[in-house]
Amino acid sequence: MNKRQLKKSLNKKKMVNVALASTDKKNEAKTAVKVETKVTKKETCNIKAITKKQVGEFITTKEEVVPSGSELLNAGAYALNGEVVFFANVNTNKENAVVASKEYDTIVYFTEEVNGWVSKNAEKTYTKKDLVDVIYTAVNTMIEEYNVQ
């Protein structure tokens, strides 16, 4: 069965017009063309909630979060393309590029809480367990608010 016979049989059975893609010069006018559309609104995707285990992976040790001799500038989590990323900017390292350029979809800061865990001079001190609970709640609240939009 050739293309012409296939087209006729499909048209009879389903009563629809069928265009077959072809490199045939005779059928060039009938080739399928995909229309491109421009997206004017920024596409958003739902962000999955995080677990306490993921928070625990971010705050493994005080030295890893804030190296000795460094000062914590800010700490938080941002969402970008459906993924949650934790960050801690200190004065001895270059600032997180996504945070500096504000290219994230949504962000939450918990600088004071992290500082309360790493520094003895903070107003309120946190244990690692307390810090995990605070960050877990803050990030999941951010995610819920973002997903509602």
Side-chain angles (χ1 to χ4, degrees), residues 130-146:
D130 292 339
L131 184 61
V132 168
D133 290 341
V134 169
I135 292 174
Y136 172 80
T137 303
V139 174
N140 281 322
T141 301
M142 172 194 73
I143 291 169
E144 287 173 13
E145 290 173 358
Y146 178 78

Side-chain angles (χ1 to χ4, degrees), residues 69-114:
S70 300
E71 179 185 341
L72 180 67
L73 301 175
N74 56 30
Y78 62 84
L80 180 64
N81 300 326
E83 297 292 322
V84 175
V85 179
F86 293 93
F87 66 92
N89 293 324
V90 294
N91 63 346
T92 56
N93 290 344
K94 190 173 182 180
E95 188 176 8
N96 184 296
V98 174
V99 175
S101 61
K102 298 182 179 182
E103 294 175 353
Y104 46 79
D105 295 328
T106 184
I107 192 167
V108 64
Y109 289 95
F110 33 82
T111 306
E112 289 180 25
E113 292 82 357
V114 173

Side-chain angles (χ1 to χ4, degrees), residues 62 66 70-72 111-126:
K62 294 177 184 181
V66 181
S70 300
E71 179 185 341
L72 180 67
T111 306
E112 289 180 25
E113 292 82 357
V114 173
N115 196 39
W117 177 59
V118 296
S119 174
K120 295 175 183 170
N121 301 332
E123 287 182 26
K124 184 176 180 184
T125 59
Y126 288 85

